[in-house]
Amino acid sequence: MIVTLIVVCEVGFWVLLAAGLAARYVLRMPRTGVAILLCEPLLEVLLLVVTAIDLKNGADPSWKHGLAALYIGYTVGHGHRTVKWLDGHAAHRFGGAPPPPKPPKYGMARARHEGAIWLGSVAAAAVASGLLLLLASWYVGDDGNTDGLRHWIFVAWRATGIHGLIALSYAIWPKKAPEAPQAPQSPHGLSRDFSHGPSAVPARDPEDVPDRLVRGARKDEEQV
């Protein structure tokens, strides 16, 4: 039952998200769209209540209850980022807003971006750990076997630690942006820029002026 409810909550998350964005930008009902989006946390509350009742009724703690706590933590830590990302694209596609900025790819800006995402993982692990300790102490008690629930706390922080090492690697070894192509060099070592067409200024070096042009200029002077 718990696994089925997790699937229902995941599907419900995307259904409510699509309905909220459609009401906000397609139907031009921003308040209704916000109200629908605010209903999403109720799914996590429903999952938490059902999990607690299941344990209270004597169900043995298992991986299903631990997975439910991790799912709630992940939604708290990263759900708002998903909503914000999709809201920006929906505003651009249907609301005439400018396209949302893309995340940075290089340098310390990329490292800070990865660090912000990692903080979401820290929040997810903290929420999941708090829920697991709450379920273990309040709804199972000292008489029951809570090792399965406490094991999921280790799983949550181990995944957060791995994510933190990956995010830290972007700060230790920042990814460099590709170098811009250099302008072609002239035979005399000067860079030439042909992006605006040939220059109208005559060359100062007589060697750069064709003989035919020089002879034509001399004839014009003789005629004058």
Side-chain angles (χ1 to χ4, degrees), residues 98-136:
K102 295 182 179 180
K105 296 182 179 180
Y106 309 106
M108 295 306 297
R110 174 67 183 272
R112 288 190 292 268
H113 174 73
E114 296 294 335
I117 298 178
W118 175 72
L119 291 178
S121 296
V122 173
V127 171
S129 299
L131 292 178
L132 289 169
L133 290 175
L134 179 67
L135 294 175

Side-chain angles (χ1 to χ4, degrees), residues 10-223:
E10 178 66 15
V11 174
F13 173 84
W14 292 103
V15 170
L16 288 178
L17 181 57
L21 294 178
R24 188 174 184 180
Y25 296 108
V26 179
L27 301 179
R28 307 297 181 182
M29 302 170 64
R31 293 184 178 180
T32 303
V34 172
I36 295 175
L37 293 176
L38 291 177
C39 292
E40 290 186 348
L42 297 178
L43 297 174
E44 282 67 45
V45 174
L46 174 63
L47 179 59
L48 176 61
V49 171
V50 172
T51 302
I53 293 176
D54 189 46
L55 292 173
K56 189 66 175 179
N57 291 335
D60 294 330
S62 63
W63 64 270
K64 296 178 291 185
H65 303 96
L67 182 61
L70 288 186
Y71 174 80
I72 295 174
Y74 180 85
T75 305
V76 173
H78 294 284
H80 68 286
R81 189 181 304 275
T82 303
V83 173
K84 183 178 179 180
W85 180 77
L86 288 176
D87 182 74
H89 283 276
H92 170 60
R93 178 64 177 83
F94 302 104
K102 295 182 179 180
K105 296 182 179 180
Y106 309 106
M108 295 306 297
R110 174 67 183 272
R112 288 190 292 268
H113 174 73
E114 296 294 335
I117 298 178
W118 175 72
L119 291 178
S121 296
V122 173
V127 171
S129 299
L131 292 178
L132 289 169
L133 290 175
L134 179 67
L135 294 175
S137 60
W138 285 13
Y139 291 94
V140 179
D142 298 332
D143 298 335
N145 183 12
T146 60
D147 293 339
L149 294 178
R150 297 182 188 276
H151 171 72
W152 282 95
I153 298 177
F154 170 75
V155 172
W157 287 107
R158 181 179 61 183
T160 303
I162 295 174
H163 186 189
L165 292 176
I166 296 175
L168 183 62
S169 66
Y170 286 95
I172 299 176
W173 300 286
K175 189 176 181 181
K176 296 182 179 180
E179 296 181 358
Q182 298 181 354
Q185 299 291 327
S186 67
H188 299 283
L190 300 175
S191 61
R192 298 186 297 176
D193 184 6
F194 299 103
S195 59
H196 301 288
S199 175
V201 180
R204 295 183 179 180
D205 191 347
E207 295 180 358
D208 293 339
V209 182
D211 295 338
R212 184 177 300 176
L213 295 178
V214 174
R215 290 195 299 268
R218 290 177 178 176
K219 290 181 179 180
D220 293 339
E221 292 177 357
E222 293 175 356
Q223 292 177 0

